[in-house]
């Protein structure tokens, strides 16, 4: 085969035969064939590679050197991350982490081997095997309510003592205290909460809040590893918010727990899209959609493992009662006006009995009858609530 290799003249200055004879004065030539020695053998023309040595590589060297260095740096920035809890959220995070070129391993109770394989993630059913792979970062994506038992039975002794533990639980004080309590002092701890999920973050993470608290991070290479991990989210455009776990929980009870509660309440109404949806109604439908995909374990965890959640539930109930009183109070005024301004008594007694029926029915009957009739006004004239620093979508 008469193949020929061409070398660009920009990559060398001169070529010499092993005999030392200069082969070509390159001058303006753009390239030179290394198979240019042709000999006639048995009447056929054959090509032979010339015995050449590249004498000077000063033009090519920096280029190779730079690309090698870039590759080395890229490799240095990559992490080996082990996800514990490869359910809905664990998989959602893994997709982006893999996309960024990090090595991802996963362990879960359910066998997700096939899903993991398709995503380029190595799945380990056995937690010992998983730990013996020595991931640099363990990313806890377990449900809030199972994290205590998962962590207590986790074979941490099989990990390297310098391992970084990070969690993504939607409550923060609970995992912080748990990790400090259960992990040996050599492990680093980073508590995080990506304030978005598979639904709200499906179009990308740009501008979405990512909360973190460096609970216990060593110095030097440990600090640098923590930054590399945080950089995964910063690189996707997340709004990085450093905040104590306690402060997170105060804000999250007001924003996230209320959103989930309202979303779940509205979900029970089986709201449907209509041909005349207002913008406000579309927003309500979106809240239902955003929260319906999350497990009840997650919602229960938001309530049970955030000390501020009970107070918010009571405030919601009080706000609903206050609103009802406001409505009913206005009805009272109308009735009194009618009584004192001589409206026919038959009409008044009809209105009074309707009002009494509503008041006397049980809360469940009241809610279902009002749901069926859809008689409650959908909008109040109260002022919009204040903006919190961690508002989710
Ligand atoms: P989840 O219901 O809160 O958690 C499901 C995960 O927990 C699965 O990986 C499941 O493993 C594991 N798990 C449940 N019970 C377990 C047990 N007894 N032992 C061991 N593992 C158990 O749903 P999620 O949406 O995937 O959330 C995971 C974590 O991410 C939660 O802590 C949540 O607060 C946090 N988070 C979620 C979102 C979100 O939008 N979904 C956003 C931010 C943070 P198996 O599947 O193997 O059973």
């Amino acid at each position: 085969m008469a193949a020929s290799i061409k070398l660009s003249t920009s990559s060398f200055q001169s070529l010499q035969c092993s005999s030392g004879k200069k082969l070509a004065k390159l001058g303006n030539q753009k390239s030179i064939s290394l198979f240019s020695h042709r000999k006639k053998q048995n009447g056929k023309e054959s090509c032979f590679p010339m015995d050449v040595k590249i004498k000077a590589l000063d033009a090519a060297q920096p280029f190779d050197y730079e690309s090698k260095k870039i590759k080395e740096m890229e490799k240095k920035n990559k992490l080996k991350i082990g996800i514990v809890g490869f359910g809905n959220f664990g998989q959602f995070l893994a997709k982006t982490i893999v996309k960024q070129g990090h090595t991802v391993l996963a362990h879960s109770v359910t066998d997700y081997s096939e899903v993991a394989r398709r995503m380029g993630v190595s799945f380990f059913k056995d937690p010992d095997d998983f730990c013996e792979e020595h991931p640099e970062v363990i990313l806890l994506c377990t449900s809030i309510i199972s994290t205590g038992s998962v962590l207590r039975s986790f074979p941490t002794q099989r990990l390297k003592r310098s391992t970084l533990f990070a969690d993504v639980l939607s409550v923060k004080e609970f995992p912080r205290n748990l990790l400090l309590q259960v992990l040996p002092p050599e492990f680093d701890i980073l508590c995080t909460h990506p304030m978005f999920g598979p639904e709200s973050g499906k179009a990308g993470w740009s501008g979405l809040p990512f909360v973190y608290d460096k609970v216990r991070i060593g110095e030097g290479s440990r600090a640098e590893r923590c930054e590399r991990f945080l950089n995964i989210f910063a690189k996707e455009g997340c709004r990085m918010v450093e905040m104590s776990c306690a402060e997170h929980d105060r804000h999250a009870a007001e924003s996230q727990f209320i959103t989930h509660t309202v979303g779940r309440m509205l979900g029970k109404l089986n709201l449907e899209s209509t041909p005349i949806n207002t913008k406000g109604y579309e927003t309500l439908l979106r809240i239902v959609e955003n929260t319906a995909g999350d497990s009840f374990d997650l919602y229960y965890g938001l309530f049970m493992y955030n000390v501020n959640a009970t107070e918010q539930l009571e405030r919601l109930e009080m706000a609903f009662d206050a609103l009802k009183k406001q409505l009913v109070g206005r009805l009272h005024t109308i009735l009194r006006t009618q009584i004192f301004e001589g409206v026919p008594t038959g009409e008044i007694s009809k209105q009074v009995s309707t009002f009494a029926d509503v008041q006397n029915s049980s809360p469940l009957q009241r809610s279902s009858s009002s749901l069926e009739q859809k008689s409650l006004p959908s909008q109040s004239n109260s002022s919009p609530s204040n903006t919190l620093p961690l508002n989710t979508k």
Side-chain angles (χ1 to χ4, degrees):
M1 195 173 64
S4 92
I5 297 170
K6 302 268 182 187
L7 289 181
S8 160
T9 56
S10 64
S11 60
F12 56 86
Q13 288 181 329
S14 64
L15 286 172
Q16 281 188 334
C17 271
S18 49
S19 63
K21 190 184 164 215
K22 209 168 215 166
L23 283 172
K25 186 170 174 288
L26 300 171
N28 292 334
Q29 268 179 272
K30 283 251 161 39
S31 63
I32 183 164
S33 170
L34 294 186
F35 288 84
S36 56
H37 270 198
R38 287 164 190 272
K39 276 186 186 169
K40 279 213 166 182
Q41 276 186 349
N42 308 328
K44 287 186 181 165
E45 198 175 40
S46 308
C47 281
F48 292 93
M50 291 193 302
D51 185 10
V52 290
K53 275 187 196 157
I54 295 175
K55 292 282 284 183
L57 284 168
D58 50 333
Q61 209 169 14
F63 173 74
D64 282 351
Y65 181 75
E66 274 165 28
S67 71
K68 262 191 210 151
K69 278 286 160 205
I70 288 168
K71 274 192 190 132
E72 270 171 30
M73 254 172 57
E74 273 174 2
K75 211 173 153 195
K76 222 180 114 203
N77 283 331
K78 300 304 172 206
L79 288 163
K80 190 173 185 180
I81 300 174
I83 297 180
V84 178
F86 204 54
N88 191 22
F89 198 63
Q91 290 175 31
F92 168 68
L93 289 183
K95 261 179 230 149
T96 301
I97 300 176
V98 169
K99 185 193 78 186
Q100 286 194 12
H102 301 279
T103 305
V104 180
L105 335 168
H107 161 68
S108 219
V109 177
T110 307
D111 186 356
Y112 291 110
S113 328
E114 191 45 36
V115 185
R117 194 190 55 74
R118 274 186 261 124
M119 291 170 68
V121 171
S122 318
F123 186 81
F124 296 83
K125 186 99 183 68
D126 186 315
D128 290 303
D129 293 346
F130 172 78
C131 289
E132 275 163 12
E133 291 290 314
H134 292 158
E136 298 161 273
V137 182
I138 295 284
L139 185 57
L140 282 174
C141 297
T142 39
S143 66
I144 300 169
I145 57 174
S146 71
T147 302
S149 62
V150 170
L151 206 59
R152 286 198 172 87
S153 62
F154 202 66
T156 42
Q157 73 282 0
R158 299 201 184 277
L159 293 166
K160 282 196 175 170
R161 278 197 298 280
S162 64
T163 309
L164 164 65
F165 265 77
D167 82 286
V168 294
L169 271 58
S170 307
V171 291
K172 289 279 50 83
E173 271 212 280
F174 164 68
R176 176 189 184 274
N177 296 340
L178 181 75
L179 290 164
L180 283 170
Q181 209 180 74
V182 174
L183 293 180
E186 301 83 25
F187 288 130
D188 284 358
I189 301 171
L190 174 72
C191 286
T192 82
H193 183 200
M195 309 278 306
F196 49 89
E199 196 51 46
S200 52
K202 67 181 169 198
W205 303 354
S206 180
L208 302 177
F210 181 90
V211 181
Y212 64 97
D213 185 0
K214 295 176 182 173
V215 176
R216 186 173 72 202
I217 303 292
E219 290 174 348
S221 60
R222 285 173 177 243
E224 191 243 345
R225 176 184 55 191
C226 175
E227 291 309 323
R228 272 189 283 153
F229 177 75
L230 289 172
N231 202 35
I232 294 173
F233 299 89
K235 235 171 139 176
E236 295 299 314
C238 287
R239 184 161 62 82
M240 306 300 283
V241 185
E242 188 165 9
M243 178 181 280
S244 76
C245 291
E247 197 183 346
H248 165 276
D249 282 3
R250 273 197 304 280
H251 291 307
E254 284 175 26
S255 57
Q256 188 188 24
F257 179 67
I258 296 221
T259 310
H260 277 253
T261 304
V262 171
R264 282 186 178 270
M265 254 162 48
L266 294 174
K268 290 199 183 295
L269 303 185
N270 296 326
L271 300 179
E272 275 170 18
S273 188
T274 73
I276 51 166
N277 287 355
T278 58
K279 288 278 170 210
Y281 188 65
E282 297 266 337
T283 308
L284 290 189
L285 291 179
R286 264 204 308 280
I287 293 177
V288 177
E289 198 180 296
N290 274 350
T291 48
D294 291 329
S295 70
F296 192 79
D297 275 1
L298 197 162
Y299 177 58
Y300 179 65
L302 294 181
F303 174 67
M304 217 30 216
Y305 292 77
N306 186 339
V307 288
N308 310 289
T310 315
E311 187 194 331
Q312 294 306 324
L313 198 63
E314 277 163 9
R315 285 188 65 216
L316 261 179
E317 213 175 345
M318 281 181 337
F320 188 59
D321 281 346
L323 208 56
K324 263 180 12 192
K325 276 193 187 120
Q326 209 180 339
L327 289 173
V328 170
R330 182 172 285 195
L331 188 58
H332 259 129
T333 317
I334 294 171
L335 287 174
R336 282 213 184 90
T337 314
Q338 288 174 346
I339 289 166
F340 291 110
E341 287 178 4
V343 175
T345 44
E347 188 56 31
I348 292 171
S349 58
K350 214 165 81 190
Q351 289 191 24
V352 170
S353 63
T354 312
F355 171 56
D357 283 350
V358 173
Q359 287 299 295
N360 293 334
S361 59
S362 71
L364 198 64
Q365 283 169 321
R366 263 204 317 269
S367 65
S368 61
S369 70
S370 57
L371 303 186
E372 277 158 22
Q373 293 165 19
K374 301 203 172 186
S375 57
L376 279 176
S378 61
Q379 286 174 349
S380 76
N381 59 357
S382 58
S383 60
S385 57
N386 294 334
T387 303
L388 288 165
L390 300 182
N391 288 354
T392 53
K393 285 282 162 196

